[in-house]
Amino acid sequence: MLMQMFKKTKNLHLERSYRAPLETVWQAWTEPDMLRQWWGPEKTFVPECEIDLEVGGKVYIVMEAGEAMGKYQGTRWPMAGTFTRIEEPSRLTYDARSWTEGDEEGSTIQHTNDVTLTENDGMTVVHLHVTITDIGPKAKMAAFGMKWGYKAQLDKLEKYLSTR
């Protein structure tokens, strides 16, 4: 059953509202120093983050498991991608691949992320649409957990924005 779920394209849709100006939320997604403060679920941190914010430009983010992740501490999950659409400050689309460092061939997940920001009554709404197009043979469970990971990441964004 689980194997059958990943033979087709998988779509994830998430929406979250933040009490923050649109421009601040845009910067949180596009400025490396801000992005590394909230990217990834709890117990992870971002030691590397590069963003070349132009169509055809690169995005490269490395998530690393912190001490609180026990036996996974030090595990690194890079994501490398290319921006395909930038409509500042409201839309950002990039094609990417994510993997577990040391097993790129078996653990790679190919995905397209489309982030749309809208502002309404002092709130910024983030619509995140992720299309998973290919899952490596050792990445099935990671792909299955991506929705949880994105939800946790958006929770961290809320905490980060509340301190700004």
Side-chain angles (χ1 to χ4, degrees):
M1 174 80 170
L2 182 63
M3 298 299 278
Q4 289 176 335
M5 286 176 50
F6 296 112
K7 290 187 176 178
K8 299 178 189 168
T9 299
K10 181 173 177 60
N11 290 290
L12 307 175
H13 299 275
L14 297 115
E15 180 180 309
R16 189 70 60 89
S17 296
Y18 301 99
R19 189 165 303 287
L22 180 88
E23 189 61 40
T24 301
V25 178
W26 174 263
Q27 290 170 340
W29 279 90
T30 59
E31 292 185 10
D33 289 340
M34 291 177 76
L35 189 139
R36 68 177 2 126
Q37 300 300 312
W38 64 271
W39 188 269
E42 291 294 329
K43 303 178 185 175
T44 66
F45 63 98
V46 176
E48 298 177 49
C49 181
E50 300 171 26
I51 295 176
D52 179 15
L53 193 59
E54 62 182 26
V55 172
K58 304 297 181 201
V59 55
Y60 181 73
I61 304 167
V62 177
M63 249 184 351
E64 186 171 325
E67 184 177 340
M69 287 192 79
K71 69 179 184 176
Y72 296 103
Q73 179 182 0
T75 302
R76 291 166 52 101
W77 297 282
M79 181 192 79
T82 303
F83 290 107
T84 58
R85 175 185 287 173
I86 297 170
E87 297 172 11
E88 186 173 346
S90 61
R91 192 154 185 196
L92 189 64
T93 307
Y94 54 93
D95 293 330
R97 60 187 173 80
S98 303
W99 67 94
T100 302
E101 197 170 80
D103 187 16
E104 188 169 352
E105 186 175 320
S107 68
T108 295
I109 299 171
Q110 302 276 352
H111 50 100
T112 297
N113 292 32
D114 186 34
V115 182
T116 305
L117 310 177
T118 55
E119 192 169 30
N120 189 11
D121 291 332
M123 301 289 287
T124 298
V125 180
V126 174
H127 296 272
L128 174 60
H129 179 209
V130 180
T131 303
I132 301 170
T133 55
D134 191 48
I135 301 166
K138 296 179 186 175
K140 305 251 186 290
M141 289 308 294
F144 185 74
M146 281 179 82
K147 187 166 190 170
W148 171 85
Y150 278 112
K151 284 181 178 182
Q153 180 169 295
L154 293 174
D155 288 346
K156 275 178 68 178
L157 176 58
E158 184 169 17
K159 288 178 189 174
Y160 173 72
L161 291 170
S162 71
T163 65
R164 304 226 17 103

